[in-house]
Amino acid sequence: MKELHPKQQQLLEILKSNISDPLTLEELAQRLSVSSKSVAFHHVKQLEKKGYLKRNPDNPRDYIILKDPERNVVYLPMYGCAKCGPEGTLLSGAPTRVVPVDPSMIYFPACKGFMVEAKGDSMENIIAPRDWLIVEQNCQPKNRDIVVCVNQGEVMVKRFSQDGENIILQSQNKKYSPIVADRHSFHVEGIVRSIIKRNF
């Protein structure tokens, strides 16, 4: 990581403290006591260039802090698993929260990471309800990968396999039958890379 200008360090702290209710560029400029929005935007771009920040190109107020230099954590957005976003994808919706995660738990670029909270019992005994899943954005899973996907507008966590032209979504729990994915609406949001058990 490259060294930060004092204003960029200040900006990073402001972004962290307002991540659940992001500020506009005008508000950032006011908090930084700089002359204009363009100066604030310059420092935002420098944070991106130096690897501390990633912004959603479709929504600049939706961002991920990739590195906290003082606490040595990365911040991953958590998305609800019960509902799709407005375009029928999980990631087009707004994150429900942002979770600090130890970088050692992530074996892929943090900018591709997100989290979901598991619901239901279809993946027991691997994934229990309320477990947190660390997911890598990736639309090209291999057979037997556990994926977060959308099928006919429903977000689900299933084991992926492909049989010829058919994509089969399998549950771990034997009481649920395999699902043949709808080829017109199905897409993979990401591959589950880690599971944080939250049994309590």
Side-chain angles (χ1 to χ4, degrees), residues 15 21 32 51 90 188:
L15 291 171
D21 187 19
L32 287 170
L90 182 67
V188 173

Side-chain angles (χ1 to χ4, degrees), residues 87-88 150-153 165 167 180-187:
E87 301 301 323
V150 178
N151 188 55
Q152 295 184 331
E165 293 186 357
I167 292 172
V180 178
D182 178 80
R183 65 182 63 183
H184 300 293
S185 67
F186 174 78
H187 62 271

Side-chain angles (χ1 to χ4, degrees), residues 86-124:
E87 301 301 323
T89 74
L90 182 67
L91 300 181
S92 63
T96 58
R97 63 187 296 178
V98 177
V99 181
V101 176
D102 188 317
S104 66
M105 298 180 67
I106 302 175
Y107 303 98
F108 53 88
C111 61
K112 292 184 176 292
F114 68 95
M115 296 177 69
V116 295
E117 181 173 319
K119 297 182 183 295
D121 62 354
S122 69
M123 292 305 289
E124 293 183 339

Side-chain angles (χ1 to χ4, degrees), residues 6-199:
K7 284 293 183 187
Q8 291 159 20
Q9 182 65 56
Q10 182 185 356
L11 175 60
L12 189 62
E13 293 301 320
I14 292 170
L15 291 171
K16 283 190 291 186
S17 61
N18 291 278
I19 199 164
S20 60
D21 187 19
L23 303 175
T24 65
L25 276 175
E26 186 174 5
E27 291 169 327
L28 289 174
Q30 291 173 352
R31 298 284 185 93
L32 287 170
S33 301
V34 296
S35 57
S36 67
K37 292 188 293 185
S38 62
V39 175
F41 183 70
H42 166 76
H43 288 305
V44 168
K45 294 298 289 182
Q46 287 301 305
L47 286 178
E48 287 188 282
K49 185 177 180 181
K50 294 176 181 180
Y52 286 87
L53 184 71
K54 181 190 177 188
R55 294 183 304 145
N56 181 342
D58 299 321
N59 179 5
R61 295 178 71 184
D62 176 14
Y63 56 85
I64 303 171
I65 295 171
L66 301 178
K67 185 75 173 176
D68 183 334
E70 294 183 359
R71 297 182 181 86
N72 193 30
V73 298
V74 296
Y75 293 84
L76 296 182
M78 170 80 76
Y79 293 87
C81 207
K83 295 182 179 179
C84 297
E87 301 301 323
T89 74
L90 182 67
L91 300 181
S92 63
T96 58
R97 63 187 296 178
V98 177
V99 181
V101 176
D102 188 317
S104 66
M105 298 180 67
I106 302 175
Y107 303 98
F108 53 88
C111 61
K112 292 184 176 292
F114 68 95
M115 296 177 69
V116 295
E117 181 173 319
K119 297 182 183 295
D121 62 354
S122 69
M123 292 305 289
E124 293 183 339
N125 295 314
I126 295 176
I127 300 169
R130 303 193 70 177
D131 284 353
W132 285 357
L133 312 180
I134 296 177
V135 186
E136 178 187 5
Q137 291 182 44
N138 188 322
C139 60
Q140 296 183 316
K142 301 186 295 293
N143 279 344
R144 304 293 295 164
D145 278 345
I146 296 176
V147 299
V148 176
C149 59
V150 178
N151 188 55
Q152 295 184 331
E154 182 183 358
V155 178
M156 55 182 67
V157 179
K158 298 291 180 186
R159 197 176 288 280
F160 173 95
S161 64
Q162 190 152 9
D163 181 11
E165 293 186 357
N166 291 326
I167 292 172
I168 311 299
L169 305 175
Q170 296 178 314
S171 299
Q172 192 69 19
N173 190 328
K174 298 300 182 185
K175 76 178 184 181
Y176 295 100
S177 300
I179 297 169
V180 178
D182 178 80
R183 65 182 63 183
H184 300 293
S185 67
F186 174 78
H187 62 271
V188 173
E189 299 280 13
I191 301 170
V192 176
R193 297 303 191 191
S194 299
I195 302 166
I196 300 175
K197 306 302 289 184
R198 298 180 69 238
N199 295 331

